[in-house]
Structure formats: C-alpha cells, structure tokens
Amino acid sequence: EAGVAQSPRYKIIEKRQSVAFWCNPISGHATLYWYQQILGQGPKLLIQFQNNGVVDDSQLPKDRFSAERLKGVDSTLKIQPAKLEDSAVYLCASSLETGNGYTFGSGTRLTVV
Amino acid sequence: GESVGLHLPTLSVQEGDNSIINCAYSNSASDYFIWYKQESGKGPQFIIDIRSNMDKRQGQRVTVLLNKTVKHLSLQIAATQPGDSAVYFCAENFQGAQKLVFGQGTRLTINP
C-alpha cells in the first residue's frame, strides 16, 4: 500500500510569513495526526482528526496554527505568522483506527529565519 | 504532565552485539506501547508494539519487554547491524485519550 504522503519536503521562510503543509494519508485511514518534532526531541502531537472532525487539538497553538481536513481525506496545516521557534519537522501520520497502527510520512522540515 | 522518558540519550554498541534500549513511562492507564525507529531525514518507522496485557513480544531480531510493576519498557535488538543505527523512540497510548505520547529518543550507534 502507498504510504503517507507529505509535501513539501523542505521549506524555508522568514519569521512573520505564512506557510502551509499538505498530507495525504493512507487510503481508508480514518484517523489523521499532525506532529511537531523539534530537533533532538520526540514528536509532539498538535492535532488529531477522526474523518473530518477534530478529536484533540489541545496542544495546537491556535493563535497561529490551523489545520483542516475538509473531506475526511487529505489535510493541510498552516502557520501564520511563523516564529523562529516553529522551526521543526512537521510529521503527518494516519491510522485505520484510533490509537493503533500509526504510519508516519517523511515529514516537512521547516526552517524559520 | 505525564510523559514517556528514556534512561539514556545515546547508546553505542559493537556490531554483532545485542542492544538494549530502555524506556520509563509514568501513566499507569496507558494500554498500548510502540517502539519506533527514526533514521535521519525520515519519519518514525514502526518496529514493534505491545499491549498492556502482555509482558513480552518478539519480532524479527527484536523483542519488547513490558514491566508494568515498575512502568518500564525495553527494546532488545539481537545481533546489531550497521543498518540499526538510528534514533529509537518509545511511545505510549493513553487509554481513553487515544493518542500517542513519545519519549525523547535514544540514538543508537554501531561500532565496527
């Protein structure tokens, strides 16, 4: 089966600019997750979708981060405006059922200068 | 807050030796645990998982041990190979919350 697709692979922006990341999960996976991985740390969950509904966004900085999954398939994560501390790898993962069998994409490496 | 942690940030082993990577968790309500391998520039890759009703699970060259009494998880890699060089993360799934919480990771390096 095809894996989780993410784009772009790399992005460099200046602080205060906006940026968007895209994720296409494995076909049929109802649950989709966005994680932030700062260099040298483990991934941290930002938001979790079940189909097109948000299950958990408690750690999403909602003043600048937003995410959507309008048709319950692919998803976008946006940052506006970006800060230097947003530099990280943004990972998308999906699972057939919540809590099990996560598959991760390769991530988007964001550098904010 | 509760989190999954690792005892050692780095581990160096000789090629061919067995590797043991440890992890401590603090949430007694966690019911599912996963070990991931992450190579440079890639996303985490599933290695092996274990549920809280088990204390041991074996895969190909890997074994996960779960000690619920002391809230400890370990990953054993047999006959470590150069391709095993990576950062290894344990993650726990909070029962009810249904989300994975990752530890900080252990970097495994293989000496020839």
Side-chain angles (χ1 to χ4, degrees):
Chain A
E1 69 183 353
V4 176
Q6 288 190 247
S7 67
R9 287 285 282 125
Y10 305 94
K11 190 75 178 178
I12 301 174
I13 62 172
E14 295 183 348
K15 58 184 179 183
R16 291 188 289 274
Q17 285 187 323
S18 63
V19 64
F21 313 126
W22 176 81
C23 172
N24 189 17
I26 291 174
S27 178
H29 280 196
T31 310
L32 183 147
Y33 314 80
W34 282 103
Y35 283 81
Q36 179 193 58
Q37 186 175 24
I38 293 173
L39 185 65
Q41 298 182 16
K44 183 187 80 172
L45 180 68
L46 292 175
I47 189 167
Q48 175 183 341
F49 291 94
Q50 180 73 16
N51 296 309
N52 61 348
V54 175
V55 174
D56 184 349
D57 63 357
S58 58
Q59 299 199 73
L60 187 74
K62 298 180 187 62
D63 59 332
R64 298 184 300 106
F65 286 64
S66 64
E68 59 183 16
R69 193 185 184 198
L70 293 177
K71 297 182 179 179
V73 181
D74 57 352
S75 174
T76 56
L77 175 69
K78 297 179 182 178
I79 307 175
Q80 183 180 8
K83 292 185 176 181
L84 296 176
E85 58 260 37
D86 297 333
S87 294
V89 175
Y90 290 84
L91 294 162
C92 180
S94 68
S95 64
L96 189 60
E97 54 186 34
T98 302
N100 298 309
Y102 293 64
T103 301
F104 282 84
S106 295
T108 296
R109 180 176 296 278
L110 172 69
T111 303
V112 182
V113 297
Chain B
E2 299 193 35
S3 64
V4 176
L6 292 168
H7 294 308
L8 294 173
T10 60
L11 177 65
S12 294
V13 298
Q14 291 295 125
E15 183 178 348
D17 286 353
N18 296 335
S19 301
I20 300 176
I21 301 173
N22 295 305
C23 175
Y25 66 96
S26 57
N27 190 337
S28 56
S30 293
D31 59 354
Y32 179 56
F33 305 86
I34 309 175
W35 280 100
Y36 284 94
K37 173 185 180 182
Q38 188 172 28
E39 297 174 283
S40 181
K42 298 183 179 179
Q45 177 188 2
F46 173 92
I47 301 174
I48 192 167
D49 59 359
I50 189 168
R51 297 202 174 274
S52 58
N53 61 352
M54 302 172 68
D55 53 20
K56 180 179 180 179
R57 191 157 188 237
Q58 287 184 295
Q60 186 177 11
R61 282 202 308 119
V62 295
T63 301
V64 55
L65 299 177
L66 175 63
N67 186 332
K68 295 181 287 295
T69 302
V70 294
K71 298 192 186 78
H72 184 267
L73 194 68
S74 69
L75 176 70
Q76 300 178 1
I77 304 174
T80 311
Q81 303 170 357
D84 295 328
S85 293
V87 177
Y88 289 82
F89 293 97
C90 64
E92 63 179 314
N93 188 76
F94 287 3
Q95 186 181 32
Q98 297 294 312
K99 64 181 182 182
L100 276 182
V101 174
F102 283 79
Q104 289 296 103
T106 293
R107 180 173 297 281
L108 178 65
T109 59
I110 314 304
N111 302 317

